[in-house]
Amino acid sequence: GMAIVGLRMAGQRRVGFLAGRLVHPDEVGGEGGRADSSRRTLPAIEEEPEDAASILDSEANAPLAISDEILERAKMEKKFDRTVHVVRIAFVLGGLAVIVSSILFYVKGAGAFKQSLDSVHGGLDLVQQTARKAIDITDNAIRDKNALLGDLNRTKT
């Protein structure tokens, strides 16, 4: 509980999706993140260069800049997809761990409870046997006392 609160307080910028909100790279903005790529505009061409070398350079650099942007976007998408898959797998594994631990808790707990009841039952049987032996000893002592008193009374007379 405290870890969740701590991550929420740290914020999206510091801990990313662990703050409780997984944001697609296109939606990241404002808070020090990347701007929305759909809002980015390429610089407009104001006028054509006068010499042929600058024309060739600008034509060669334009596709390179666009391809770099496409590659960067593809990397961001791949990273985001990987993060989504990792979060889903972690969630599923966490759920399975909770289910397995609940089953083990029930099975081991039920087994331990049965063992405890068996132990108590065994203890009660032992107490009952001891009480019967004590009763038998007391009965024998009373009978022997009565027999001894009877023999003593007979010898007096």
Side-chain angles (χ1 to χ4, degrees):
M2 293 303 292
I4 293 172
V5 171
L7 289 172
R8 289 288 286 177
M9 288 174 58
Q12 180 89 20
R13 226 175 32 182
R14 290 190 187 120
V15 295
F17 72 91
L18 295 175
R21 189 166 167 246
L22 185 60
V23 179
H24 195 277
D26 288 343
E27 297 174 8
V28 176
E31 300 178 15
R34 295 181 180 95
D36 187 357
S37 63
S38 64
R39 295 183 192 162
R40 284 189 237 155
T41 57
L42 297 175
I45 299 175
E46 296 177 9
E47 59 184 56
E48 292 183 12
E50 295 190 16
D51 59 353
S54 62
I55 291 174
L56 292 175
D57 287 342
S58 66
E59 287 177 2
N61 289 337
L64 183 61
I66 292 173
S67 67
D68 285 343
E69 182 178 332
I70 291 171
L71 286 174
E72 178 68 26
R73 184 171 175 83
K75 286 180 185 177
M76 286 174 41
E77 285 288 328
K78 188 175 181 179
K79 183 179 178 183
F80 177 75
D81 290 342
R82 190 177 328 125
T83 302
V84 168
H85 290 301
V86 167
V87 169
R88 287 178 180 165
I89 289 169
F91 183 77
V92 168
L93 289 177
L96 286 175
V98 167
I99 291 169
V100 167
S101 63
S102 297
I103 290 169
L104 287 175
F105 179 75
Y106 174 74
V107 169
K108 295 293 185 178
F113 185 69
K114 184 181 181 309
Q115 184 180 8
S116 175
L117 287 177
D118 290 342
S119 175
V120 168
H121 183 59
L124 288 174
D125 285 343
L126 182 62
V127 168
Q128 190 175 17
Q129 289 172 358
T130 306
R132 284 188 185 140
K133 285 181 182 179
I135 290 171
D136 289 343
I137 290 173
T138 306
D139 285 343
N140 288 338
I142 291 173
R143 267 186 267 134
D144 288 345
K145 178 187 141 200
N146 289 338
L148 186 63
L149 284 176
D151 288 342
L152 187 60
N153 285 335
R154 272 184 264 155
T155 55
K156 282 187 184 179
T157 47

